[in-house]
């Protein structure tokens, strides 16, 4: 199996959006009201996953503050976190659970270079074996840190709600139902996610979604 298409530039995103609009007119309707879709490519590696752990269940401002403390202490690479004690990590703002997750990630000794060459499903299955890395985090890593074009974060509530509104569904689709829907958007599921995230923000303002 191959890794499939990699999203590297804004032109890749535009190509995917054009494909989706031709596939389903409702994507075209969404594209008419959303701002330009972002590329959202990020670096891969230990730091990207540690940052995801830091950001779990806290505000963006809190996550940013903790991340800056970790950076200042030199605690954003695997060797440093591996050597650190949980108490040291907690002193920088991590909860007891997140400190354990950070240690587990460092101890997992993932081969981040090899992840770049694995099929997307294998990337996700590899990552979710690490404590603190759930399927959503693994899918987001594959989408934005590895640039995989054909993956969708089906457990994302904003994506589910956007799909409900755009496709006029009677209720928000479950993760399983969302996964079935997203299959039809292959090979550009990642761009479909970008469209739906952007559409969610528009719909939230229009309908007062919380």
């Amino acid at each position: 199996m191959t890794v499939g298409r990699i999203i590297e530039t804004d032109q890749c995103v535009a190509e995917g959006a054009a494909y989706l609009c031709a596939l389903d007119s409702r994507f075209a309707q969404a594209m008419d009201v959303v701002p330009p879709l972002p590329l959202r490519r990020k670096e891969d590696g230990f730091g990207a996953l540690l940052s995801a752990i830091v950001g779990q269940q806290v505000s963006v401002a809190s996550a940013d503050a903790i991340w800056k403390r970790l950076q200042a202490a030199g605690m954003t690479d695997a060797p440093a976190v591996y050597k650190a004690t949980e108490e040291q990590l907690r002193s920088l703002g991590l909860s007891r659970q997140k400190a354990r997750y950070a240690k587990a990630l460092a101890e997992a000794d993932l081969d981040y270079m090899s992840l770049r060459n694995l099929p997307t499903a294998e990337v996700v299955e590899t990552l979710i074996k690490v404590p603190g890395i759930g399927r959503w985090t693994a899918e987001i890593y594959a989408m934005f840190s590895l640039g995989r074009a054909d993956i969708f974060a089906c457990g994302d509530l904003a994506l589910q709600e956007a799909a409900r509104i755009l496709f006029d569904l009677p209720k928000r689709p479950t993760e399983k139902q969302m996964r079935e829907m997203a299959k039809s958007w292959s090979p550009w599921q990642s761009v479909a996610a970008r469209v739906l995230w952007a559409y969610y923000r528009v719909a939230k303002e229009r309908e007062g979604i919380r």
Side-chain angles (χ1 to χ4, degrees), residues 78-157:
V81 174
Y82 183 86
K83 294 177 183 177
T85 65
E86 288 185 17
E87 288 71 25
Q88 286 175 305
L89 294 171
R90 291 186 65 199
S91 73
L92 297 171
L94 293 181
S95 66
R96 184 183 301 275
Q97 186 179 54
K98 288 185 179 181
R100 289 175 180 168
Y101 288 162
K103 293 286 292 178
L105 179 62
E107 291 163 3
D109 193 26
L110 295 172
D111 185 345
Y112 294 99
M113 290 291 288
S114 72
L115 288 180
R116 297 176 183 178
N117 300 312
L118 286 180
T120 300
E122 290 186 32
V123 171
V124 172
E125 292 307 313
T126 298
L127 293 179
I128 64 175
K129 293 176 182 176
V130 180
I133 304 296
R135 186 165 294 275
W136 182 89
T137 299
E139 290 170 339
I140 292 296
Y141 181 86
M143 189 181 297
F144 296 124
S145 291
L146 297 181
R148 302 301 171 87
D150 202 24
I151 187 167
F152 194 91
C154 298
D156 190 283
L157 294 180

